[in-house]
Amino acid sequence: MKAITASALVLVILLGALFIYVAEDIPAFGDPNSPANRWVNLSISVDAGADVLTSLNDGVVPEVLAEKIKDRGFPLPPGYKVEEEEGGWNVLIPTGERLYHELQEYYFINREGDRLWVYRYSAPVRWQERCEEETGVPNMVTAGLADYRGYDTLGETTVIFTAGISVILLLRRRGKL
Amino acid sequence: MKHKPDVIINTIARLMVPFIQMYALYVMVGTEGAGGGFQGGVVFAASFVLFVTAFGITKGRSRLPESWNTALSSLGLYLYAGIGILCIILSLGIANYLNYGALPLAKLTGIAMTRGLVISFVVEVGIALTVMAIFASIFFDLAWKSEDEGGEQ
Amino acid sequence: MIIPIDLLALFFLVVIALAAITVRDLLAAIVLLSAYSFVIAAVWVEMHAVDVGFTEAAVGAGATTAFMIAALARMKREEKR
């Protein structure tokens, strides 16, 4: 056996243990009893004052809330709509997709006790729910790769293409190129 | 050390290569099961690897000549990027890039079905063509020089 | 997602990795790496990630091993002491 140094051995053992721990820690992908939660908590909260509630009920996000959402990096696009829902308000925002005009569900303002918490619609769950009806492809991975993240896969295919071309340039010395 | 043809490997390869390629086509186009364009392309390239190990590289190269190889690799990428541009052109600038719902096919079969059809027949086939041609050309380039002096392992 | 089988396979992976480092003959190292990608593909499929497992099986065992063996045909078989 080639004498590998003790430090290399220790390093491999530690990395192996880390690898096993991480591999076991990830919930199984298709595991029904560990579903990705639908609403991602943006940890923005405002106390539910009377004026805030009234403005929400007639369909306008109050200024103090809109301000907090904006400096979190999610500017609220104009033309949004607020819908009453059980236990909170759904904020639908226009997607700017000229082809699909209808508003997309994005924020959810939940009322817990006397505080209002803002949640965001998590993208993977949206994929899971809307993939069949939007793309008509049963295999969600293929739909995700080719359609939702089609630009990303285009880049990946270009990377493979350039890899092949560079191998052709490097290895073909016979001048026949 | 010329490539010595071995009867057993030849018959096995002659039996298996078409089925591997059939399987690659099934994986590539079918969106039912697992796998898509990339996996289909790699399996197709693996069938060429088996062909080369069984029948030698010169016969393999005659089966998939260089001109076809580079043409296929750019054709796949052209197909994929082209369908994106087509979406913009045919929708007269309304849809943005790679928005398959904007193709006129949507008037026949509705937006969802159009996206499904374009994904599983145009985009996946494009990816598979590129990946197959690139992996095959890399393998041929790697194995080619050894054929002149060294010979296949 | 049976935990004991997972642990066993993952521990086996670490052993394969160690063997691939310490073995001297390069062809044996390539075969070990191919076995590694087969086992990791099996673990992924067992963890309900079929697409990743399929890709790893196709690329890892299929393409990478073929490339490395083709490259090996150009080099010497033995690693220097």
Side-chain angles (χ1 to χ4, degrees):
Chain A
M1 188 173 107
K2 200 174 71 163
I4 58 173
T5 58
S7 59
L9 194 63
V10 165
L11 185 63
V12 167
I13 300 284
L14 285 181
L15 282 179
L18 179 70
F19 171 64
I20 291 179
Y21 171 71
V22 164
E24 280 315 303
D25 210 10
I26 315 166
F29 299 108
D31 194 358
N33 45 38
S34 75
N37 38 33
R38 192 169 194 280
W39 296 109
V40 172
N41 189 345
L42 286 181
S43 70
I44 301 174
S45 77
V46 169
D47 54 359
D51 55 346
V52 170
L53 291 182
T54 48
S55 79
L56 266 178
N57 282 339
D58 55 38
V60 173
V61 173
E63 191 42 43
V64 59
L65 204 54
E67 199 53 45
K68 279 198 173 172
I69 293 178
K70 197 149 73 69
D71 58 37
R72 169 56 56 84
F74 296 92
L76 205 55
Y80 62 85
K81 201 154 76 69
V82 180
E83 271 173 6
E84 179 74 34
E85 241 208 61
E86 30 81 27
W89 291 269
N90 244 331
V91 180
L92 297 107
I93 56 171
T95 54
E97 276 268 346
R98 301 267 295 279
L99 205 64
Y100 307 95
H101 286 299
E102 87 303 321
L103 296 157
Q104 295 276 343
E105 192 184 281
Y106 196 68
Y107 289 108
F108 179 67
I109 303 170
N110 193 9
R111 181 195 173 114
E112 286 141 10
D114 60 351
R115 300 286 292 180
L116 285 178
W117 289 86
V118 180
Y119 291 84
R120 178 175 62 81
Y121 194 6
S122 91
V125 176
R126 182 201 179 285
W127 255 7
Q128 220 166 350
E129 284 166 359
R130 306 275 302 261
C131 167
E132 185 69 29
E133 70 181 75
E134 269 182 359
T135 55
V137 171
N139 183 346
M140 218 166 36
V141 174
T142 319
L145 268 177
D147 188 354
Y148 287 118
R149 293 182 66 89
Y151 201 67
D152 183 38
T153 315
L154 181 66
E156 179 202 323
T157 318
T158 321
V159 160
I160 295 175
F161 179 70
T162 35
I165 298 299
S166 54
V167 164
I168 288 176
L169 288 178
L170 283 176
L171 289 186
R172 280 196 194 156
R173 281 285 179 281
R174 297 186 304 283
K176 241 179 23 183
L177 192 61
Chain B
M1 168 175 107
K2 209 55 207 82
H3 180 265
K4 298 183 293 304
D6 178 338
V7 175
I8 301 171
I9 298 180
N10 281 7
T11 42
I12 297 289
R14 189 171 294 122
L15 194 67
M16 274 173 61
V17 164
F19 288 109
I20 294 180
Q21 289 176 347
M22 187 71 64
Y23 180 66
L25 290 179
Y26 163 71
V27 160
M28 180 195 318
V29 175
T31 53
E32 298 295 329
F38 182 80
Q39 290 88 357
V42 172
V43 171
F44 212 98
S47 84
F48 279 116
V49 169
L50 176 62
F51 190 91
V52 165
T53 48
F55 300 105
I57 191 141
T58 42
K59 200 183 277 279
R61 194 77 252 191
S62 71
R63 182 65 59 181
L64 179 66
E66 269 172 42
S67 54
W68 272 87
N69 206 335
T70 35
L72 274 182
S73 60
S74 43
L75 175 72
L77 203 57
Y78 178 74
L79 207 64
Y80 191 2
I83 199 74
I85 300 281
L86 213 60
C87 294
I88 300 181
I89 295 171
L90 290 183
S91 74
L92 303 174
I94 290 177
N96 37 26
Y97 188 60
L98 280 180
N99 180 351
Y100 312 128
L103 292 173
L105 189 63
K107 296 188 179 50
L108 303 173
T109 57
I111 290 185
M113 182 58 79
T114 329
R115 286 172 81 169
L117 285 176
V118 168
I119 287 175
S120 54
F121 289 112
V122 178
V123 170
E124 296 292 340
V125 170
I127 299 174
L129 275 178
T130 307
V131 167
M132 184 273 293
I134 292 296
F135 274 71
S137 98
I138 291 181
F139 179 70
F140 278 126
D141 286 347
L142 275 176
W144 187 264
K145 187 165 181 297
S146 58
E147 178 65 22
D148 303 347
E149 324 113 359
E152 196 41 45
Q153 205 60 27
Chain C
M1 179 70 181
I2 308 150
I3 302 293
I5 292 186
D6 261 0
L7 286 181
L8 202 66
L10 290 175
F11 179 70
F12 184 43
L13 278 180
V14 176
V15 169
I16 290 184
L18 263 175
I21 296 175
T22 52
V23 82
R24 181 162 313 135
D25 176 12
L26 287 184
L27 187 59
I30 291 175
V31 169
L32 275 170
L33 288 182
S34 175
Y36 182 94
S37 76
F38 167 71
V39 174
I40 192 75
V43 164
W44 276 333
V45 169
E46 198 258 341
M47 272 182 165
H48 307 306
V50 188
D51 265 90
V52 182
F54 191 97
T55 312
E56 174 62 27
V59 170
T64 319
T65 314
F67 292 166
M68 284 195 244
I69 290 183
L72 188 67
R74 294 168 166 231
M75 305 174 352
K76 298 182 301 308
R77 280 284 296 282
E78 280 303 325
E79 232 177 332
K80 280 188 293 303
R81 289 292 173 283

